[in-house]
């Protein structure tokens, strides 16, 4: 592998490189030609003195001029391409040096002595220029904090390797947690943590490849073709999961980071450096955004998936402008007596050709962009408008539930925006319930709690959706001003067959009541499940057993 400082594609277009290459050889030929001319003249004319009118021009004076012009070409060689140029320039100067010595010896005259001194001085000057170029090149390709080769050097090396038909793997590594380190311990400590990350990565990679600092919280690796690349990348991820211990003399601090990696191969000879980097980036982003995946290798399925995500994202944008979205309402019932409690508004997407894109597909795409915020705003507005009269008629006996993404509930000002919409629509706040997932509390606890508090103070109910699938700790839950726990379908599914699930559901219901919450089970499909939930004192149910999501008009018929 190269050393990351070789000249490559950064010199500009192919045409520019070729043109520069031509000039390089022209300078070399001129520099060497002039030195040869000097030698020829010394041998042919000896110590002749030429006459130009009244002026006498000794040959040594003419040679001095020719030598100076040759030196200019030597410098141009170094300036054009400092790595190859220095070698050729020193060759020409050495040739000139020995030629001049030879002529001094043969003529037994020291008239050409200044020429010898000139060769030495110009040789030293050329080396100094070369060194300066090398230092600034190193600086331009080295990351100051980690000392690793930076993105610029990485791109140059990858490009050079691909052009040389070398094969291997590129991996991008995204490290999470630097922001928190900087915020809690300051940038100096942050820099030490970043340095340690680079060091650990180099330790894991060893002689199997090279580690780079790409930018911000991203690192890169180029791994040799014959390495067990997947094991190395796994090692890197495991190495970065160990806490980073930093001492500032008085206090020892531990920082916890997590890392995600994407891998792309450069084995196909038609691939470009740009393609490989983009693929590694796509794979890395997939790992970052997909739960349970730390390392992802780029393949055709991923390419298709990424293309589909881009297409769905485009459809969502189009849909928001051209009304592809509409709502269905799934009834919720009081378990004891099957009285209607209200509806959960569920968004749907219908394309102009009549085909349906399922929420299971477009909601995650919208959540990964900011489009979910617009979708949720649309759903809230439309659902409240459609049900405000029902609420007035049914008074406290009706609840309209809307889903809110983790992204929104953790935004400053979210609660105020909801209140403004409620006033605008004229919807009674006591009839509105906002469903947030447990994941919301993993995002930004303080802001989420602040928003939830404002909403609660205004009489809005708060439900924790998909409860039991993950993130909320019991301690956190006890501090939340929530009014309803929605037990996730996955727990209800096995309630008959698994005793552990049964116990868990029973405990959640009991715990919910202790917290002064009501409890609803969602995804209830069987009568037997209903019977068990009734036995455990579950308050409400939502599920196909008593009602699928309905069109607005059908939902209205239930509200009598
Ligand atoms: P969710 O909020 O947990 O909604 C319940 C999902 O379970 C709905 O799927 C509903 O149709 C489905 N479901 C209810 N009962 C049953 C049952 O008995 N059996 C089965 N198999 N499924 C049942 P849907 O409509 O496909 O929505 C999926 C998810 O999409 C929702 O899960 C929610 O997380 C999200 N979503 C839907 N509408 C919105 C929205 O307006 N905003 C946001 N942020 N997310 C939404
Ligand atoms: Mg929901
Ligand atoms: Mg749910």
């Amino acid at each position: 592998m190269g050393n990351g400082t070789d000249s490559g594609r950064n010199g500009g277009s192919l045409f520019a490189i070729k043109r520069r290459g031509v000039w390089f050889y022209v300078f070399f030929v001129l520099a060497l030609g002039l030195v040869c001319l000097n030698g020829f003249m010394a041998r042919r004319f000896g110590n002749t003195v030429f006459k130009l009118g009244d002026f006498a021009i000794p040959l040594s004076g003419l040679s001095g001029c020719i030598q100076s012009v040759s030196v200019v070409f030597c410098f141009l060689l170094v300036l054009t391409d400092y790595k190859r140029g220095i070698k050729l320039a020193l060759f020409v100067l050495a040739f000139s040096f020995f030629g001049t010595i030879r002529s001094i010896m043969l003529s037994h005259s020291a008239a050409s002595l200044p020429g010898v001194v000139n060769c030495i001085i110009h040789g030293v000057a050329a080396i100094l220029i070369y060194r300066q170029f090398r230092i600034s090149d190193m600086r331009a390709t080295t990351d100051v904090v980690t000392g690793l080769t930076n993105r610029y050097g990485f791109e140059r090396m990858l490009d050079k390797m691909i052009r040389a038909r070398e094969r291997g793997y590129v991996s991008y590594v995204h490290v999470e947690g630097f922001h928190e380190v900087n915020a809690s311990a300051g940038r100096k400590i942050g820099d030490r943590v970043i340095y340690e990350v680079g060091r650990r990565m180099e330790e894991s990679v060893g002689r199997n490849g090279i580690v780079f600092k790409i930018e911000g919280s991203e690192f890169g690796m180029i791994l040799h073709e014959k390495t067990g690349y997947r094991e190395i990348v796994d090692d890197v991820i495991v190495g970065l999961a160990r806490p980073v211990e930093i001492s500032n003399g008085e206090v020892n601090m531990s920082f916890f980071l997590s890392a995600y990696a994407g891998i792309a191969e450069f084995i196909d000879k038609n691939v470009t450096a740009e393609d490989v980097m983009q693929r590694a980036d796509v794979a890395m982003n997939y790992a970052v955004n997909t739960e349970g995946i730390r390392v992802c290798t780029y393949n055709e399925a991923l390419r298709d998936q990424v293309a589909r995500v881009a297409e769905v994202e485009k459809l969502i944008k189009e849909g928001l402008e051209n009304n592809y979205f509409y709502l269905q309402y799934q009834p919720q019932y009081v378990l004891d007596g099957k009285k209607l409690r209200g509806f959960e508004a569920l968004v749907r997407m219908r394309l102009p050709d009549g085909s349906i894109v399922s929420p299971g597909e477009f909601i995650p795409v919208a959540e990964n962009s900011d489009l979910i915020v617009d979708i949720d705003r649309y759903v809230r507005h439309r659902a409240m408008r459609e049900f405000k009269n029902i609420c007035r008629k049914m008074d406290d006996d009706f609840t309209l539930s809307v889903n809110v993404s983790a992204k929104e509930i953790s935004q400053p000002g979210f609660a105020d925006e909801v209140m403004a919409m409620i006033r605008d629509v004229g919807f009674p706040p006591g009839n509105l319930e906002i469903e947030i997932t447990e994941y919301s509390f993993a995002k930004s606890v303080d802001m989420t709690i602040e928003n939830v508090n404002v909403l609660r103070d205004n009489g809005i109910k708060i439900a924790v959706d998909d409860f039991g699938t993950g993130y909320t700790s019991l301690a956190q839950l006890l501090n939340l001003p929530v009014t309803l726990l929605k037990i996730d379908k996955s727990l209800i599914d096995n309630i008959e067959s698994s005793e552990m699930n049964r116990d868990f559901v029973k405990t959640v219901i009991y715990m919910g009541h202790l917290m002064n919450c009501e409890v609803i089970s969602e995804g209830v499909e069987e009568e037997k499940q209903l019977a068990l939930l009734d036995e455990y004192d579950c308050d409400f149910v939502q599920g196909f057993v008593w009602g699928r999501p309905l069109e607005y008009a059908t939902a209205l018929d239930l509200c009598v």
Side-chain angles (χ1 to χ4, degrees):
M1 287 198 180
N3 59 10
T5 53
D6 304 312
S7 63
R9 75 193 191 101
N10 298 297
S13 68
L14 197 60
F15 179 65
I17 293 171
K18 274 188 181 157
R19 207 175 41 186
R20 208 177 59 171
V22 169
W23 280 112
F24 184 79
Y25 293 111
V26 169
F27 295 147
F28 176 61
V29 170
L30 287 172
L32 195 61
L34 289 173
V35 172
C36 293
L37 179 67
N38 253 351
F40 167 75
M41 285 183 12
R43 204 180 307 163
R44 176 85 172 75
F45 302 109
N47 282 330
T48 314
V49 175
F50 298 98
K51 281 274 182 195
L52 192 65
D54 292 343
F55 287 95
I57 308 172
L59 185 75
S60 57
L62 202 59
S63 296
C65 290
I66 294 174
Q67 193 186 33
S68 300
V69 178
S70 142
V71 165
V72 169
F73 287 122
C74 286
F75 283 162
L76 284 174
L77 275 175
V78 182
L79 294 175
T80 313
D81 179 343
Y82 77 96
K83 278 185 190 156
R84 287 187 303 154
I86 186 66
K87 292 178 196 154
L88 295 184
L90 289 179
F91 170 74
V92 172
L93 289 169
F95 195 62
S96 170
F97 175 84
F98 289 115
T100 318
I101 296 267
R102 184 169 171 274
S103 82
I104 290 174
M105 307 283 257
L106 291 179
S107 63
H108 297 285
S109 154
S112 306
L113 198 58
V116 176
V117 177
N118 270 348
C119 284
I120 296 170
I121 291 175
H122 290 134
V124 171
I127 290 172
L128 289 177
I129 295 173
Y130 161 79
R131 272 176 55 92
Q132 205 49 45
F133 266 114
R134 214 176 63 145
I135 290 169
S136 49
D137 201 15
M138 290 271 286
R139 280 201 191 124
T141 55
T142 306
D143 176 68
V144 226
V145 176
T146 56
L148 298 171
T149 304
N150 65 14
R151 180 193 189 104
Y152 177 61
F154 166 75
E155 287 181 13
R156 278 201 331 198
M157 184 189 290
L158 182 62
D159 190 68
K160 193 175 165 235
M161 290 174 75
I162 289 174
R163 279 168 193 268
R165 300 250 192 275
E166 283 185 56
R167 294 155 151 236
Y169 302 89
V170 163
S171 174
Y172 276 176
V173 178
H174 173 83
V175 184
E176 272 182 7
F178 290 145
H179 182 70
E180 287 72 14
V181 176
N182 284 340
S184 63
R187 289 214 163 246
K188 271 196 178 153
I189 298 286
D191 283 353
R192 286 172 63 187
V193 173
I194 292 180
Y195 177 84
E196 173 62 15
V197 166
R199 200 196 58 74
R200 279 191 194 177
M201 285 181 69
E202 284 196 308
E203 195 177 276
S204 303
V205 170
R207 301 170 69 83
N208 296 309
I210 302 178
V211 178
F212 302 84
K213 173 77 196 307
I214 304 291
E215 60 195 12
S217 46
E218 270 162 37
F219 289 73
M221 298 181 275
I222 296 182
L223 303 171
H224 296 292
E225 186 197 358
K226 293 201 173 67
T227 54
Y229 69 95
R230 181 59 206 237
E231 287 84 67
I232 297 170
V233 176
D234 285 343
D235 269 4
V236 166
I237 301 297
V238 170
L240 296 182
R242 290 199 322 269
V244 178
E245 314 280 352
I246 303 276
S247 159
N248 69 356
E250 293 157 15
V251 200
N252 290 331
M253 290 171 271
S254 294
F255 298 102
F256 295 87
L257 305 169
S258 49
Y260 303 85
I263 306 170
E265 58 186 22
F266 52 99
I267 285 179
D268 173 8
K269 61 181 177 205
N270 293 322
V271 84
T272 65
E274 202 72 36
D275 293 337
V276 180
M277 289 187 294
Q278 198 225 347
R279 290 173 187 182
D281 203 32
V282 164
M284 182 190 75
N285 283 324
Y286 184 79
V288 170
N289 293 319
T290 313
E291 221 169 288
I293 294 191
R294 290 272 160 168
V295 180
C296 172
T297 305
Y298 185 88
N299 56 26
E300 279 180 12
L302 183 61
R303 183 196 60 198
D304 295 346
Q305 199 174 330
V306 168
R308 175 65 184 159
V309 165
E311 191 188 337
V312 169
E313 201 172 311
K314 193 166 140 264
L315 288 174
I316 296 173
K317 284 181 192 153
E318 262 175 48
L320 284 164
E321 278 172 19
N322 304 312
N323 275 331
Y324 296 175
F325 293 107
Y326 68 101
L327 302 186
Q328 284 192 330
Y329 296 98
Q330 187 175 25
Q332 299 176 341
Y333 290 96
V334 180
L335 181 50
D336 188 9
K338 201 186 170 185
K339 184 174 171 285
L340 184 74
R341 175 189 187 242
F343 294 98
E344 176 179 5
L346 295 163
V347 69
R348 300 286 178 257
M349 186 183 196
R350 185 187 293 118
L351 301 183
D353 66 5
S355 61
I356 300 282
V357 183
S358 96
E361 183 171 26
F362 73 78
I363 294 280
V365 174
E367 272 171 349
N368 279 334
S369 61
D370 281 336
L371 294 167
I372 191 69
V373 175
D374 295 320
I375 295 181
D376 282 352
R377 208 175 282 144
Y378 163 83
V379 171
R380 273 198 300 279
H381 196 253
R382 179 150 182 185
M384 286 199 292
R385 250 187 23 234
E386 294 189 332
F387 277 94
K388 74 174 178 190
N389 291 333
I390 297 287
C391 291
R392 288 199 187 121
K393 219 165 72 188
M394 296 179 73
D395 218 10
D396 283 352
D397 279 349
F398 182 85
T399 301
L400 175 68
S401 288
V402 289
N403 292 284
V404 162
S405 74
K407 203 167 242 167
E408 268 199 290
I409 191 82
S410 56
Q411 292 291 313
F414 168 75
D416 296 335
E417 193 206 306
V418 171
M419 290 318 299
M421 190 185 280
I422 282 181
R423 278 191 295 273
D424 182 44
V425 172
F427 191 88
N431 294 80
L432 184 68
E433 181 172 76
I434 282 190
E435 290 190 11
I436 53 182
T437 57
E438 292 187 62
Y439 184 56
S440 308
F441 300 104
K443 280 231 150 176
S444 168
V445 186
D446 294 344
M447 204 57 242
T448 301
I449 291 185
E450 202 176 311
N451 277 322
V452 167
N453 279 331
V454 175
L455 293 169
R456 283 292 296 124
D457 290 347
N458 283 285
I460 294 169
K461 296 175 219 169
I462 307 290
V464 181
D465 201 356
D466 304 340
F467 188 78
T469 51
Y471 300 90
T472 326
S473 76
L474 196 58
Q476 244 173 18
L477 194 67
L478 290 173
N479 285 325
L480 294 178
V482 296
T483 45
L484 182 81
L485 297 186
K486 284 193 89 171
I487 303 179
D488 191 64
K489 177 175 183 306
S490 57
L491 295 166
I492 305 297
D493 280 345
N494 300 322
I495 193 173
E496 290 164 86
S497 56
S498 152
E499 192 179 340
M500 205 169 81
N501 266 31
R502 262 200 307 276
D503 287 345
F504 188 75
V505 169
K506 207 191 302 183
T507 313
V508 169
I509 295 171
Y510 181 73
M511 192 180 74
H513 290 156
L514 277 185
M515 290 163 55
N516 277 334
C517 281
E518 293 179 301
V519 181
I520 185 167
S521 298
E522 67 175 328
V524 183
E525 292 180 342
E526 313 272 339
E527 290 287 344
K528 282 184 191 149
Q529 293 169 340
L530 276 179
L532 282 170
L533 292 167
D534 194 24
E535 189 188 321
Y536 305 150
D537 272 342
C538 183
D539 302 287
F540 311 116
V541 290
Q542 174 181 348
F544 291 178
V545 67
W546 276 352
R548 290 178 177 254
L550 306 168
E551 299 298 318
Y552 175 57
T554 325
L556 276 191
D557 291 344
L558 294 180
C559 306
V560 279

